[in-house]
């Protein structure tokens, strides 16, 4: 599986390019947390998402890693909802 790292400021674009084919988010995409320093959980966690159809993990980095893996995943879910709410990405089918 290939891994790429992107800065948080490019998250919406990375989501659109990798996880949102045809304008709608791929339901198989998984939200993950990755150790900021491999083998050192005390260093914290970065949010990431896995796109199985592309055999790709996109890891998002910012100035400070999250304290726990749950914090990283929760933050990513929250941020994706915010990006959806302001129209930068499309997470759900809109009711017709």
């Amino acid at each position: 599986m290939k891994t790429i790292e992107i800065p948080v400021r490019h998250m919406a674009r990375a989501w659109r390019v990798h996880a949102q084919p045809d304008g709608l988010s791929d339901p198989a995409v998984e939200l993950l947390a990755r150790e900021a320093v491999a083998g050192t959980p005390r260093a914290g966690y970065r949010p990431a998402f896995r796109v199985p159809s592309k055999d790709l993990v996109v890891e998002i980095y910012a100035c400070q890693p999250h304290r726990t893996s749950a914090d990283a995943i929760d933050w990513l879910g929250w941020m994706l909802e915010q990006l959806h709410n302001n129209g930068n990405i499309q997470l759900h089918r809109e009711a017709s």
Side-chain angles (χ1 to χ4, degrees), residues 6-14 16 60-62 75 79 83:
I6 57 131
V8 70
R9 71 182 177 272
H10 296 301
M11 194 170 95
R13 182 175 190 280
R16 287 190 309 269
I60 300 149
Y61 64 88
W75 177 86
M79 182 57 83
L83 292 170

Side-chain angles (χ1 to χ4, degrees), residues 14-89:
W15 185 269
R16 287 190 309 269
V17 168
H18 300 294
Q20 190 177 313
D22 303 320
L24 187 66
S25 295
D26 180 349
V29 171
E30 299 174 64
L31 304 186
L32 310 170
R34 308 267 310 232
E35 291 179 345
V37 177
T40 311
R42 296 182 83 193
Y45 295 85
R46 290 182 178 165
F49 59 90
R50 185 170 82 86
V51 185
S53 63
K54 294 186 176 183
D55 200 30
L56 177 69
V57 172
V58 178
E59 189 171 314
I60 300 149
Y61 64 88
C63 294
Q64 190 71 26
H66 296 270
R67 191 175 57 80
T68 67
S69 60
D71 288 345
I73 293 168
D74 289 346
W75 177 86
L76 180 54
W78 173 83
M79 182 57 83
L80 290 171
E81 284 294 329
Q82 301 312 304
L83 292 170
H84 170 80
N85 291 340
N86 70 23
N88 282 298
I89 65 172

